[in-house]
Amino acid sequence: MTGSRSKASYAGAIFSTLFRLFTYVFLRVIPIRWCKYLIPAFYLAYAVTIPFTRPLSPQSPSPSPPSTPEDNKQGSNAAKDESNNDFLWELLFSLPTTRVASIITWSINTLLIVFAADFVFTPLIDSAADVTFTRVGAVYPDSVKVIVRYPLIDHNATEHNVRILWRPATAADVEPWTDGPVLRLDPEFDWTNTTKLTKLWPSTEYECARIGVHEQDHATVPNSPIRFRTFPDSRLPTGSHFRFVVSSCLKPNFPYAPFQNGRIKGFDLLADYLFLESAVIDTPGIVEPVSVNDNMTESPIPLERNVGIEANGSVGNVVPATILEPERVASTEFMLFLGDFIYADIPIYHGDSKHAYRRLYRQNYNSPSFRKIYERLPIIHTYDDHEIINNYFGQSNDTPPFANAEDAFRIYNAEGNYDAHVSGQHYYDFRYGDVAFFVTDSRRYRSNPFTGETATRTMLGEAQLSALYEWLGKVNQTATFKFIITSVPFTSLWTHDAQTDSWAGYASEKASLLSALHTVANVYLLSGDRHEFAAIEFNPPNEVGVGAHVVREFSTSPLSMFYVPLVRTLRAASDAIVPRTRLRIVDEESPPEEVVEEVPMERVLKYLPIGNYKWSTIEIDTRNPEHPKLNLEAVIDGKVAYNLPIDATPVKLRSSTALGSMVPDSIKDILDRVGLTPNRWF
């Protein structure tokens, strides 16, 4: 380039470039809190320099020999190319070349500041006060929880009532609606309430709808019915075959798209995955099949293929997939959402008030993306720190910020969960057939991770820890698979702030609990929080005893939020090494031989850090009690990225005393029609 520029021109270019860089990071990479201060500061600094900048000033031409027509043509083309390059340089780095380019640069920067303002302030402006929804939460063999929000248009009203109607979905065209319970809705609870439909049959599909109590014509229902299927009776020895979805962490419209603040792309992709089955099952993805079994027989795939992270911390290669079989998979019965359903403090803290927290929940339920899921799939919740404030630990649960944050979580999500054994608590357990779940509260009772001795710190608190141990004793011989849900990772392999915010900061309680888990067959931990996917294996030390079981953890997030590019925060294995005996199959004619090998106490089976949209589906098949199976499928950005089939340990379950196993469905139907309720007998 030729010509001269003022110092203000270069200063403006620097401020403009920094403004664009931080705006891009803020809107598309990570919504870092301090960017909300830097972005307007750099924009204002750039704007201040505009009156003092000037385009290129031509230099005095130097004498040149007479030119020919060909020289003139070449010179004209060269000048044109240089002009185009100057124009592109101006647009990219805001270096002034022409008045037109300067106007375009200003327009681009102004549009970017508008986008940033839209991302930050729209959640503060949009109250979503009129959002209406009906969804299903906890599902039992004979009942279901239904959550309704239905505000009155007249905002001066103090309350109104709605009725829930229900009927079997298989005979929806001929079956009349049955009157269910009446819900009282009032502004004190944000026009939201939860009820339970009872006297239902196990493993049966129903539909329910909301109607005003004064509307007597049940033939016309004012909203689309919500379908659900009751869970099987856990006392029946029939086995289970089903899938469920697990994920955590969502922020509407991130990565940012202009003026689409109601969109949650992760839910859009999940809806396509769940409800457009042909696109999911018949289309190949990126799949790495790995066979794992608890009997420690040698896998036909080398062990190195099981480890998705190299010794230096880099991500291992993902092998191309083979085309999946078009066989129909098990139905998806529910979703476990493991926390950070809202981000109360990103990109700005919305304030410690009931209104501020409730508004964020309403905005998510008002999202057409989320509606695609919660109107078709039961969702079970726990919470993590961002429903309250970043890295929250149970300081004083009766004072800010917990009290108002818990109020909103309870109204919108917790009331729809399974009932806790102790009123007012957010840890609970439930079952699906012969599969048991314990959902922990890993925020409310945790000690300050920065004070005191490690041995005295607690993640769960005494009462919750006792409830977890009691649950383990109950399900040890009554459930084939046992899932423990914790919003933060159980493994200590994650670094940085995870060393204090996850179970790594509570090493003593973790070690004691892990020793107990090694004595129970088929225990799996499900976690989120880290905005990455990892499958972790915990190998039992010798002191646990003979017959100890491997414990595994699947950590999945975010459903729809940022991931950290370039930086890798998960170590491949722990420093602690334990001996492990496994069986190696030499050939088909020889008996398996025992092989003792040294393995890390904790090691990564697979690490997938990249991707804004992640969830895992877990398929359980216990129909053959001698060969129970689990299959994990990790999906990233809408494509299958990892597949882990596991041959689990057979568990001899205690025999059922349920009378229902001896009563034909036809007899049950007759009893039901004459007003008897045999579902209460078994």
Side-chain angles (χ1 to χ4, degrees), residues 285-307:
I286 302 175
V287 182
E288 184 172 355
V290 180
S291 180
V292 179
N293 63 74
D294 287 339
N295 296 324
M296 299 307 165
T297 54
E298 189 169 24
S299 168
I301 300 176
L303 182 61
E304 288 74 15
R305 284 279 304 281
N306 291 1
V307 181

mmCIF file with all atom_site columns, all heavy atoms in Angstrom, residues 285-307:
data_model
loop_
_atom_site.group_PDB
_atom_site.id
_atom_site.type_symbol
_atom_site.label_atom_id
_atom_site.label_alt_id
_atom_site.label_comp_id
_atom_site.label_asym_id
_atom_site.label_entity_id
_atom_site.label_seq_id
_atom_site.pdbx_PDB_ins_code
_atom_site.Cartn_x
_atom_site.Cartn_y
_atom_site.Cartn_z
_atom_site.occupancy
_atom_site.B_iso_or_equiv
_atom_site.pdbx_formal_charge
_atom_site.auth_seq_id
_atom_site.auth_comp_id
_atom_site.auth_asym_id
_atom_site.auth_atom_id
_atom_site.pdbx_PDB_model_num
ATOM 1   N N   . GLY A 1 285 ? -23.103 -42.796 11.508 1.00 0.00 ? 285 GLY A N   1
ATOM 2   C CA  . GLY A 1 285 ? -22.456 -41.699 12.200 1.00 0.00 ? 285 GLY A CA  1
ATOM 3   C C   . GLY A 1 285 ? -21.003 -42.046 12.422 1.00 0.00 ? 285 GLY A C   1
ATOM 4   O O   . GLY A 1 285 ? -20.455 -42.915 11.766 1.00 0.00 ? 285 GLY A O   1
ATOM 5   N N   . ILE A 1 286 ? -20.381 -41.366 13.359 1.00 0.00 ? 286 ILE A N   1
ATOM 6   C CA  . ILE A 1 286 ? -19.005 -41.688 13.720 1.00 0.00 ? 286 ILE A CA  1
ATOM 7   C C   . ILE A 1 286 ? -19.071 -42.592 14.937 1.00 0.00 ? 286 ILE A C   1
ATOM 8   O O   . ILE A 1 286 ? -19.362 -42.132 16.034 1.00 0.00 ? 286 ILE A O   1
ATOM 9   C CB  . ILE A 1 286 ? -18.205 -40.424 14.019 1.00 0.00 ? 286 ILE A CB  1
ATOM 10  C CG1 . ILE A 1 286 ? -18.236 -39.506 12.805 1.00 0.00 ? 286 ILE A CG1 1
ATOM 11  C CG2 . ILE A 1 286 ? -16.771 -40.747 14.390 1.00 0.00 ? 286 ILE A CG2 1
ATOM 12  C CD1 . ILE A 1 286 ? -17.570 -38.180 13.047 1.00 0.00 ? 286 ILE A CD1 1
ATOM 13  N N   . VAL A 1 287 ? -18.881 -43.861 14.761 1.00 0.00 ? 287 VAL A N   1
ATOM 14  C CA  . VAL A 1 287 ? -19.075 -44.827 15.830 1.00 0.00 ? 287 VAL A CA  1
ATOM 15  C C   . VAL A 1 287 ? -17.784 -45.581 16.067 1.00 0.00 ? 287 VAL A C   1
ATOM 16  O O   . VAL A 1 287 ? -17.130 -46.018 15.124 1.00 0.00 ? 287 VAL A O   1
ATOM 17  C CB  . VAL A 1 287 ? -20.200 -45.836 15.473 1.00 0.00 ? 287 VAL A CB  1
ATOM 18  C CG1 . VAL A 1 287 ? -20.417 -46.811 16.614 1.00 0.00 ? 287 VAL A CG1 1
ATOM 19  C CG2 . VAL A 1 287 ? -21.481 -45.101 15.136 1.00 0.00 ? 287 VAL A CG2 1
ATOM 20  N N   . GLU A 1 288 ? -17.427 -45.703 17.338 1.00 0.00 ? 288 GLU A N   1
ATOM 21  C CA  . GLU A 1 288 ? -16.286 -46.534 17.683 1.00 0.00 ? 288 GLU A CA  1
ATOM 22  C C   . GLU A 1 288 ? -16.763 -47.644 18.603 1.00 0.00 ? 288 GLU A C   1
ATOM 23  O O   . GLU A 1 288 ? -16.949 -47.444 19.812 1.00 0.00 ? 288 GLU A O   1
ATOM 24  C CB  . GLU A 1 288 ? -15.186 -45.732 18.380 1.00 0.00 ? 288 GLU A CB  1
ATOM 25  C CG  . GLU A 1 288 ? -13.965 -46.584 18.652 1.00 0.00 ? 288 GLU A CG  1
ATOM 26  C CD  . GLU A 1 288 ? -12.814 -45.747 19.164 1.00 0.00 ? 288 GLU A CD  1
ATOM 27  O OE1 . GLU A 1 288 ? -12.942 -44.529 19.217 1.00 0.00 ? 288 GLU A OE1 1
ATOM 28  O OE2 . GLU A 1 288 ? -11.780 -46.334 19.491 1.00 0.00 ? 288 GLU A OE2 1
ATOM 29  N N   . PRO A 1 289 ? -17.101 -48.823 18.079 1.00 0.00 ? 289 PRO A N   1
ATOM 30  C CA  . PRO A 1 289 ? -17.610 -49.881 18.937 1.00 0.00 ? 289 PRO A CA  1
ATOM 31  C C   . PRO A 1 289 ? -16.510 -50.448 19.820 1.00 0.00 ? 289 PRO A C   1
ATOM 32  O O   . PRO A 1 289 ? -15.434 -50.761 19.362 1.00 0.00 ? 289 PRO A O   1
ATOM 33  C CB  . PRO A 1 289 ? -18.122 -50.923 17.942 1.00 0.00 ? 289 PRO A CB  1
ATOM 34  C CG  . PRO A 1 289 ? -17.324 -50.698 16.717 1.00 0.00 ? 289 PRO A CG  1
ATOM 35  C CD  . PRO A 1 289 ? -16.975 -49.237 16.691 1.00 0.00 ? 289 PRO A CD  1
ATOM 36  N N   . VAL A 1 290 ? -16.806 -50.554 21.105 1.00 0.00 ? 290 VAL A N   1
ATOM 37  C CA  . VAL A 1 290 ? -15.857 -51.111 22.053 1.00 0.00 ? 290 VAL A CA  1
ATOM 38  C C   . VAL A 1 290 ? -16.605 -52.103 22.922 1.00 0.00 ? 290 VAL A C   1
ATOM 39  O O   . VAL A 1 290 ? -17.634 -51.779 23.491 1.00 0.00 ? 290 VAL A O   1
ATOM 40  C CB  . VAL A 1 290 ? -15.246 -50.007 22.942 1.00 0.00 ? 290 VAL A CB  1
ATOM 41  C CG1 . VAL A 1 290 ? -14.262 -50.600 23.925 1.00 0.00 ? 290 VAL A CG1 1
ATOM 42  C CG2 . VAL A 1 290 ? -14.557 -48.960 22.091 1.00 0.00 ? 290 VAL A CG2 1
ATOM 43  N N   . SER A 1 291 ? -16.130 -53.312 23.016 1.00 0.00 ? 291 SER A N   1
ATOM 44  C CA  . SER A 1 291 ? -16.781 -54.328 23.816 1.00 0.00 ? 291 SER A CA  1
ATOM 45  C C   . SER A 1 291 ? -16.119 -54.402 25.173 1.00 0.00 ? 291 SER A C   1
ATOM 46  O O   . SER A 1 291 ? -14.913 -54.561 25.286 1.00 0.00 ? 291 SER A O   1
ATOM 47  C CB  . SER A 1 291 ? -16.698 -55.695 23.112 1.00 0.00 ? 291 SER A CB  1
ATOM 48  O OG  . SER A 1 291 ? -17.321 -56.678 23.893 1.00 0.00 ? 291 SER A OG  1
ATOM 49  N N   . VAL A 1 292 ? -16.915 -54.251 26.217 1.00 0.00 ? 292 VAL A N   1
ATOM 50  C CA  . VAL A 1 292 ? -16.409 -54.311 27.579 1.00 0.00 ? 292 VAL A CA  1
ATOM 51  C C   . VAL A 1 292 ? -17.285 -55.270 28.350 1.00 0.00 ? 292 VAL A C   1
ATOM 52  O O   . VAL A 1 292 ? -18.497 -55.290 28.181 1.00 0.00 ? 292 VAL A O   1
ATOM 53  C CB  . VAL A 1 292 ? -16.451 -52.924 28.250 1.00 0.00 ? 292 VAL A CB  1
ATOM 54  C CG1 . VAL A 1 292 ? -15.944 -53.006 29.674 1.00 0.00 ? 292 VAL A CG1 1
ATOM 55  C CG2 . VAL A 1 292 ? -15.637 -51.927 27.447 1.00 0.00 ? 292 VAL A CG2 1
ATOM 56  N N   . ASN A 1 293 ? -16.695 -56.092 29.207 1.00 0.00 ? 293 ASN A N   1
ATOM 57  C CA  . ASN A 1 293 ? -17.509 -56.946 30.046 1.00 0.00 ? 293 ASN A CA  1
ATOM 58  C C   . ASN A 1 293 ? -16.911 -57.022 31.435 1.00 0.00 ? 293 ASN A C   1
ATOM 59  O O   . ASN A 1 293 ? -15.723 -56.858 31.634 1.00 0.00 ? 293 ASN A O   1
ATOM 60  C CB  . ASN A 1 293 ? -17.675 -58.340 29.434 1.00 0.00 ? 293 ASN A CB  1
ATOM 61  C CG  . ASN A 1 293 ? -16.361 -59.069 29.301 1.00 0.00 ? 293 ASN A CG  1
ATOM 62  O OD1 . ASN A 1 293 ? -15.808 -59.535 30.291 1.00 0.00 ? 293 ASN A OD1 1
ATOM 63  N ND2 . ASN A 1 293 ? -15.845 -59.155 28.074 1.00 0.00 ? 293 ASN A ND2 1
ATOM 64  N N   . ASP A 1 294 ? -17.784 -57.256 32.411 1.00 0.00 ? 294 ASP A N   1
ATOM 65  C CA  . ASP A 1 294 ? -17.361 -57.242 33.796 1.00 0.00 ? 294 ASP A CA  1
ATOM 66  C C   . ASP A 1 294 ? -16.645 -58.516 34.212 1.00 0.00 ? 294 ASP A C   1
ATOM 67  O O   . ASP A 1 294 ? -16.108 -58.597 35.310 1.00 0.00 ? 294 ASP A O   1
ATOM 68  C CB  . ASP A 1 294 ? -18.567 -57.020 34.709 1.00 0.00 ? 294 ASP A CB  1
ATOM 69  C CG  . ASP A 1 294 ? -19.043 -55.579 34.636 1.00 0.00 ? 294 ASP A CG  1
ATOM 70  O OD1 . ASP A 1 294 ? -18.233 -54.727 34.236 1.00 0.00 ? 294 ASP A OD1 1
ATOM 71  O OD2 . ASP A 1 294 ? -20.200 -55.318 34.963 1.00 0.00 ? 294 ASP A OD2 1
ATOM 72  N N   . ASN A 1 295 ? -16.645 -59.536 33.357 1.00 0.00 ? 295 ASN A N   1
ATOM 73  C CA  . ASN A 1 295 ? -15.923 -60.759 33.681 1.00 0.00 ? 295 ASN A CA  1
ATOM 74  C C   . ASN A 1 295 ? -14.463 -60.688 33.272 1.00 0.00 ? 295 ASN A C   1
ATOM 75  O O   . ASN A 1 295 ? -13.708 -61.634 33.440 1.00 0.00 ? 295 ASN A O   1
ATOM 76  C CB  . ASN A 1 295 ? -16.588 -61.955 32.990 1.00 0.00 ? 295 ASN A CB  1
ATOM 77  C CG  . ASN A 1 295 ? -17.995 -62.180 33.512 1.00 0.00 ? 295 ASN A CG  1
ATOM 78  O OD1 . ASN A 1 295 ? -18.248 -61.990 34.690 1.00 0.00 ? 295 ASN A OD1 1
ATOM 79  N ND2 . ASN A 1 295 ? -18.897 -62.561 32.620 1.00 0.00 ? 295 ASN A ND2 1
ATOM 80  N N   . MET A 1 296 ? -14.079 -59.562 32.689 1.00 0.00 ? 296 MET A N   1
ATOM 81  C CA  . MET A 1 296 ? -12.693 -59.301 32.319 1.00 0.00 ? 296 MET A CA  1
ATOM 82  C C   . MET A 1 296 ? -12.158 -60.296 31.295 1.00 0.00 ? 296 MET A C   1
ATOM 83  O O   . MET A 1 296 ? -10.979 -60.601 31.270 1.00 0.00 ? 296 MET A O   1
ATOM 84  C CB  . MET A 1 296 ? -11.778 -59.291 33.569 1.00 0.00 ? 296 MET A CB  1
ATOM 85  C CG  . MET A 1 296 ? -12.154 -58.212 34.551 1.00 0.00 ? 296 MET A CG  1
ATOM 86  S SD  . MET A 1 296 ? -12.236 -56.617 33.735 1.00 0.00 ? 296 MET A SD  1
ATOM 87  C CE  . MET A 1 296 ? -13.119 -55.684 34.966 1.00 0.00 ? 296 MET A CE  1
ATOM 88  N N   . THR A 1 297 ? -13.039 -60.852 30.459 1.00 0.00 ? 297 THR A N   1
ATOM 89  C CA  . THR A 1 297 ? -12.535 -61.648 29.353 1.00 0.00 ? 297 THR A CA  1
ATOM 90  C C   . THR A 1 297 ? -11.997 -60.701 28.307 1.00 0.00 ? 297 THR A C   1
ATOM 91  O O   . THR A 1 297 ? -12.484 -59.580 28.146 1.00 0.00 ? 297 THR A O   1
ATOM 92  C CB  . THR A 1 297 ? -13.643 -62.519 28.744 1.00 0.00 ? 297 THR A CB  1
ATOM 93  O OG1 . THR A 1 297 ? -14.734 -61.689 28.404 1.00 0.00 ? 297 THR A OG1 1
ATOM 94  C CG2 . THR A 1 297 ? -14.088 -63.580 29.730 1.00 0.00 ? 297 THR A CG2 1
ATOM 95  N N   . GLU A 1 298 ? -10.992 -61.153 27.591 1.00 0.00 ? 298 GLU A N   1
ATOM 96  C CA  . GLU A 1 298 ? -10.291 -60.257 26.677 1.00 0.00 ? 298 GLU A CA  1
ATOM 97  C C   . GLU A 1 298 ? -11.192 -59.844 25.531 1.00 0.00 ? 298 GLU A C   1
ATOM 98  O O   . GLU A 1 298 ? -11.858 -60.661 24.915 1.00 0.00 ? 298 GLU A O   1
ATOM 99  C CB  . GLU A 1 298 ? -9.043  -60.953 26.147 1.00 0.00 ? 298 GLU A CB  1
ATOM 100 C CG  . GLU A 1 298 ? -8.146  -60.008 25.355 1.00 0.00 ? 298 GLU A CG  1
ATOM 101 C CD  . GLU A 1 298 ? -6.812  -60.649 25.069 1.00 0.00 ? 298 GLU A CD  1
ATOM 102 O OE1 . GLU A 1 298 ? -6.735  -61.870 25.050 1.00 0.00 ? 298 GLU A OE1 1
ATOM 103 O OE2 . GLU A 1 298 ? -5.846  -59.904 24.858 1.00 0.00 ? 298 GLU A OE2 1
ATOM 104 N N   . SER A 1 299 ? -11.221 -58.565 25.265 1.00 0.00 ? 299 SER A N   1
ATOM 105 C CA  . SER A 1 299 ? -12.028 -58.029 24.187 1.00 0.00 ? 299 SER A CA  1
ATOM 106 C C   . SER A 1 299 ? -11.374 -58.358 22.849 1.00 0.00 ? 299 SER A C   1
ATOM 107 O O   . SER A 1 299 ? -10.159 -58.381 22.729 1.00 0.00 ? 299 SER A O   1
ATOM 108 C CB  . SER A 1 299 ? -12.153 -56.513 24.332 1.00 0.00 ? 299 SER A CB  1
ATOM 109 O OG  . SER A 1 299 ? -12.691 -55.960 23.167 1.00 0.00 ? 299 SER A OG  1
ATOM 110 N N   . PRO A 1 300 ? -12.181 -58.638 21.811 1.00 0.00 ? 300 PRO A N   1
ATOM 111 C CA  . PRO A 1 300 ? -11.593 -58.863 20.494 1.00 0.00 ? 300 PRO A CA  1
ATOM 112 C C   . PRO A 1 300 ? -10.949 -57.613 19.923 1.00 0.00 ? 300 PRO A C   1
ATOM 113 O O   . PRO A 1 300 ? -10.192 -57.676 18.976 1.00 0.00 ? 300 PRO A O   1
ATOM 114 C CB  . PRO A 1 300 ? -12.799 -59.298 19.648 1.00 0.00 ? 300 PRO A CB  1
ATOM 115 C CG  . PRO A 1 300 ? -13.987 -58.739 20.360 1.00 0.00 ? 300 PRO A CG  1
ATOM 116 C CD  . PRO A 1 300 ? -13.633 -58.767 21.810 1.00 0.00 ? 300 PRO A CD  1
ATOM 117 N N   . ILE A 1 301 ? -11.254 -56.428 20.489 1.00 0.00 ? 301 ILE A N   1
ATOM 118 C CA  . ILE A 1 301 ? -10.644 -55.186 20.051 1.00 0.00 ? 301 ILE A CA  1
ATOM 119 C C   . ILE A 1 301 ? -9.506  -54.858 21.005 1.00 0.00 ? 301 ILE A C   1
ATOM 120 O O   . ILE A 1 301 ? -9.680  -54.929 22.219 1.00 0.00 ? 301 ILE A O   1
ATOM 121 C CB  . ILE A 1 301 ? -11.681 -54.054 20.044 1.00 0.00 ? 301 ILE A CB  1
ATOM 122 C CG1 . ILE A 1 301 ? -12.824 -54.417 19.086 1.00 0.00 ? 301 ILE A CG1 1
ATOM 123 C CG2 . ILE A 1 301 ? -11.059 -52.733 19.640 1.00 0.00 ? 301 ILE A CG2 1
ATOM 124 C CD1 . ILE A 1 301 ? -13.942 -53.430 19.077 1.00 0.00 ? 301 ILE A CD1 1
ATOM 125 N N   . PRO A 1 302 ? -8.335  -54.524 20.529 1.00 0.00 ? 302 PRO A N   1
ATOM 126 C CA  . PRO A 1 302 ? -7.201  -54.245 21.412 1.00 0.00 ? 302 PRO A CA  1
ATOM 127 C C   . PRO A 1 302 ? -7.543  -53.161 22.423 1.00 0.00 ? 302 PRO A C   1
ATOM 128 O O   . PRO A 1 302 ? -8.337  -52.254 22.156 1.00 0.00 ? 302 PRO A O   1
ATOM 129 C CB  . PRO A 1 302 ? -6.102  -53.779 20.447 1.00 0.00 ? 302 PRO A CB  1
ATOM 130 C CG  . PRO A 1 302 ? -6.492  -54.348 19.133 1.00 0.00 ? 302 PRO A CG  1
ATOM 131 C CD  . PRO A 1 302 ? -7.987  -54.387 19.110 1.00 0.00 ? 302 PRO A CD  1
ATOM 132 N N   . LEU A 1 303 ? -6.921  -53.249 23.588 1.00 0.00 ? 303 LEU A N   1
ATOM 133 C CA  . LEU A 1 303 ? -7.197  -52.302 24.658 1.00 0.00 ? 303 LEU A CA  1
ATOM 134 C C   . LEU A 1 303 ? -6.912  -50.876 24.241 1.00 0.00 ? 303 LEU A C   1
ATOM 135 O O   . LEU A 1 303 ? -7.585  -49.946 24.657 1.00 0.00 ? 303 LEU A O   1
ATOM 136 C CB  . LEU A 1 303 ? -6.362  -52.672 25.897 1.00 0.00 ? 303 LEU A CB  1
ATOM 137 C CG  . LEU A 1 303 ? -6.589  -51.794 27.133 1.00 0.00 ? 303 LEU A CG  1
ATOM 138 C CD1 . LEU A 1 303 ? -8.025  -51.878 27.591 1.00 0.00 ? 303 LEU A CD1 1
ATOM 139 C CD2 . LEU A 1 303 ? -5.635  -52.212 28.247 1.00 0.00 ? 303 LEU A CD2 1
ATOM 140 N N   . GLU A 1 304 ? -5.911  -50.683 23.394 1.00 0.00 ? 304 GLU A N   1
ATOM 141 C CA  . GLU A 1 304 ? -5.563  -49.331 22.971 1.00 0.00 ? 304 GLU A CA  1
ATOM 142 C C   . GLU A 1 304 ? -6.731  -48.636 22.287 1.00 0.00 ? 304 GLU A C   1
ATOM 143 O O   . GLU A 1 304 ? -6.853  -47.430 22.323 1.00 0.00 ? 304 GLU A O   1
ATOM 144 C CB  . GLU A 1 304 ? -4.346  -49.357 22.034 1.00 0.00 ? 304 GLU A CB  1
ATOM 145 C CG  . GLU A 1 304 ? -3.026  -49.685 22.727 1.00 0.00 ? 304 GLU A CG  1
ATOM 146 C CD  . GLU A 1 304 ? -2.910  -51.145 23.112 1.00 0.00 ? 304 GLU A CD  1
ATOM 147 O OE1 . GLU A 1 304 ? -3.704  -51.963 22.603 1.00 0.00 ? 304 GLU A OE1 1
ATOM 148 O OE2 . GLU A 1 304 ? -2.046  -51.471 23.942 1.00 0.00 ? 304 GLU A OE2 1
ATOM 149 N N   . ARG A 1 305 ? -7.595  -49.422 21.663 1.00 0.00 ? 305 ARG A N   1
ATOM 150 C CA  . ARG A 1 305 ? -8.757  -48.825 21.015 1.00 0.00 ? 305 ARG A CA  1
ATOM 151 C C   . ARG A 1 305 ? -9.768  -48.320 22.045 1.00 0.00 ? 305 ARG A C   1
ATOM 152 O O   . ARG A 1 305 ? -10.607 -47.493 21.748 1.00 0.00 ? 305 ARG A O   1
ATOM 153 C CB  . ARG A 1 305 ? -9.440  -49.868 20.121 1.00 0.00 ? 305 ARG A CB  1
ATOM 154 C CG  . ARG A 1 305 ? -8.731  -50.132 18.823 1.00 0.00 ? 305 ARG A CG  1
ATOM 155 C CD  . ARG A 1 305 ? -9.066  -49.062 17.788 1.00 0.00 ? 305 ARG A CD  1
ATOM 156 N NE  . ARG A 1 305 ? -10.493 -48.943 17.573 1.00 0.00 ? 305 ARG A NE  1
ATOM 157 C CZ  . ARG A 1 305 ? -11.200 -49.768 16.832 1.00 0.00 ? 305 ARG A CZ  1
ATOM 158 N NH1 . ARG A 1 305 ? -10.618 -50.790 16.211 1.00 0.00 ? 305 ARG A NH1 1
ATOM 159 N NH2 . ARG A 1 305 ? -12.486 -49.590 16.673 1.00 0.00 ? 305 ARG A NH2 1
ATOM 160 N N   . ASN A 1 306 ? -9.698  -48.874 23.270 1.00 0.00 ? 306 ASN A N   1
ATOM 161 C CA  . ASN A 1 306 ? -10.637 -48.450 24.297 1.00 0.00 ? 306 ASN A CA  1
ATOM 162 C C   . ASN A 1 306 ? -10.303 -47.065 24.841 1.00 0.00 ? 306 ASN A C   1
ATOM 163 O O   . ASN A 1 306 ? -11.144 -46.398 25.410 1.00 0.00 ? 306 ASN A O   1
ATOM 164 C CB  . ASN A 1 306 ? -10.623 -49.427 25.481 1.00 0.00 ? 306 ASN A CB  1
ATOM 165 C CG  . ASN A 1 306 ? -11.212 -50.766 25.108 1.00 0.00 ? 306 ASN A CG  1
ATOM 166 O OD1 . ASN A 1 306 ? -11.610 -50.959 23.977 1.00 0.00 ? 306 ASN A OD1 1
ATOM 167 N ND2 . ASN A 1 306 ? -11.260 -51.677 26.056 1.00 0.00 ? 306 ASN A ND2 1
ATOM 168 N N   . VAL A 1 307 ? -9.051  -46.665 24.725 1.00 0.00 ? 307 VAL A N   1
ATOM 169 C CA  . VAL A 1 307 ? -8.609  -45.415 25.319 1.00 0.00 ? 307 VAL A CA  1
ATOM 170 C C   . VAL A 1 307 ? -8.661  -44.322 24.271 1.00 0.00 ? 307 VAL A C   1
ATOM 171 O O   . VAL A 1 307 ? -7.942  -44.379 23.277 1.00 0.00 ? 307 VAL A O   1
ATOM 172 C CB  . VAL A 1 307 ? -7.189  -45.554 25.893 1.00 0.00 ? 307 VAL A CB  1
ATOM 173 C CG1 . VAL A 1 307 ? -6.759  -44.250 26.540 1.00 0.00 ? 307 VAL A CG1 1
ATOM 174 C CG2 . VAL A 1 307 ? -7.148  -46.689 26.905 1.00 0.00 ? 307 VAL A CG2 1
#
